[in-house]
Amino acid sequence: MSPDLDDRLLLGESLVRYAGETALAAYRDPDLSISNKSPGDLVTDADFAIEKALRARLANSFPDDGIIGEEFGREHAGGDYLWLIDPIDGTVNFARRLGYFCISIALLKGGRTVAAWIFDPINDELFFADPTGAAWLDGKPIACSGIDIMTETVVGLGFSARHEKSLYAALIGQLALSGAEHRRLGSGALSLAHVASGRIEAYLEPHMNPWDAVGGLYIAACAGALTNDYLGAGGLQAGATVFAAAPGIARQLLAVVPEPFSGTPLHREMRGGVPETLRDDRKPHPNVETIQ
């Protein structure tokens, strides 16, 4: 690794831990200020304060790096390095004092994801994937689940008001028929980290924004999950579908879920068999792609 990348890796961990400490203090503050960006989409003073602080520290250390964040959008995104920041993913949980939320930061170089950090401040857990393609939880290697039976599978789901309720109902119905369990936990980024660590077998969402998705997908892919090509689908520009699953159940899951949840052109093929192009080499593609 180059010295400039090494310096950014050190800064990334410092940023995500600082953000976690700040979020945890705000979570415990009875006077936390909460407002609505849109129906069902909350934002708190902590979201704004954390992202503003992270942007300031990045600008001080690497003024030419680009930044895309949930609250303040795109800034200087023309350089070689690009940071994706979600100051609090799972804000509805955070605002309601439900302890399932996280801070997500991803680092891209030349359009390729090279590192990602997801920090769960409630449990003091740091998920990290490095430029070599290794995934870690608090410094220890992690791998996704080895389960290969749908009846033993737990699938995390994400959904929003941007999609028809009938789509979500259809997915739950298909999962029930397959024998799989499902959980809608309220933080897509943290759910992807839990795919990486084997706590759930898969995570599906018909649309996620890049600050929510890219870091978690990279960590999951580095831990062995099969994922869709989020960046190749234009996710950095407009968001895209998210699909991440342990190799043992990915094919079976693709065969039953409604197409918008799969995020892969293999979806129709999966209904008729197992295509040879579904890779299971457990190495992330430069665009966080292990399903082609």
Side-chain angles (χ1 to χ4, degrees):
M1 288 182 282
S2 61
D4 63 332
L5 180 54
D6 287 341
D7 290 343
R8 285 172 172 84
L9 295 179
L10 291 173
L11 179 60
E13 180 170 347
S14 174
L15 292 177
V16 79
R17 288 193 180 278
Y18 164 81
E21 292 171 5
T22 305
L24 191 58
Y27 178 80
R28 293 168 173 165
D29 183 354
D31 297 321
L32 177 68
S33 176
I34 304 166
S35 57
N36 284 283
K37 291 192 285 188
S38 62
D41 189 7
L42 301 182
V43 66
T44 71
D45 283 352
D47 293 85
F48 292 120
I50 291 169
E51 185 172 326
K52 185 176 181 180
L54 298 189
R55 284 174 178 268
R57 291 183 61 178
L58 283 169
N60 182 63
S61 298
F62 301 105
D64 295 327
D65 286 8
I67 303 170
I68 300 177
E70 178 171 13
E71 308 306 338
F72 296 106
R74 182 183 294 258
E75 181 178 354
H76 307 304
D80 195 31
Y81 285 98
L82 176 65
W83 298 83
L84 303 179
I85 300 171
D86 192 343
I88 299 175
D89 184 55
T91 299
V92 172
N93 285 349
F94 177 80
R96 290 175 173 267
R97 306 317 198 272
L98 296 171
Y100 197 90
F101 61 90
C102 69
I103 293 83
S104 178
I105 298 177
L107 177 63
L108 282 68
K109 181 180 182 182
R112 299 171 54 168
T113 312
V114 293
W117 301 260
I118 290 175
F119 186 56
D120 172 0
I122 293 293
N123 294 298
D124 192 27
E125 291 186 329
L126 177 60
F127 301 84
F128 170 59
D130 64 30
T132 72
W136 312 85
L137 170 55
D138 292 334
K140 297 179 181 179
I142 53 173
C144 58
S145 170
I147 284 176
D148 60 3
I149 301 170
M150 286 294 283
T151 53
E152 297 179 5
T153 292
V154 176
V155 179
L157 303 179
F159 204 69
S160 77
R162 296 187 300 271
H163 306 101
E164 293 293 331
K165 294 181 176 63
S166 58
L167 174 61
Y168 190 59
L171 174 63
I172 293 174
Q174 289 297 104
L175 289 175
L177 289 172
S178 75
E181 298 253 0
H182 71 274
R183 300 287 187 273
R184 186 177 175 186
L185 298 169
S187 169
L190 189 54
S191 293
L192 286 167
H194 288 165
V195 173
S197 59
R199 295 174 183 174
I200 59 177
E201 277 66 53
Y203 183 75
L204 313 177
E205 187 163 347
H207 180 273
M208 285 179 72
N209 290 310
W211 46 83
D212 297 321
V214 172
L217 278 170
Y218 186 71
I219 295 171
C222 289
L226 301 179
T227 70
N228 63 301
D229 183 2
Y230 180 90
L231 295 180
L236 193 60
Q237 292 73 34
T241 300
V242 164
F243 177 95
I249 60 95
R251 299 169 174 83
Q252 299 171 68
L253 193 56
L254 282 171
V256 301
V257 299
E259 187 171 353
F261 277 91
S262 74
T264 168
L266 292 182
H267 183 270
R268 289 193 182 90
E269 299 175 40
M270 282 304 308
R271 295 185 182 278
V274 179
E276 293 299 321
T277 50
L278 182 60
R279 290 169 38 191
D280 57 4
D281 59 6
R282 299 196 177 200
K283 287 189 177 293
H285 183 275
N287 275 356
V288 196
E289 175 189 9
T290 51
I291 295 178
Q292 296 179 332

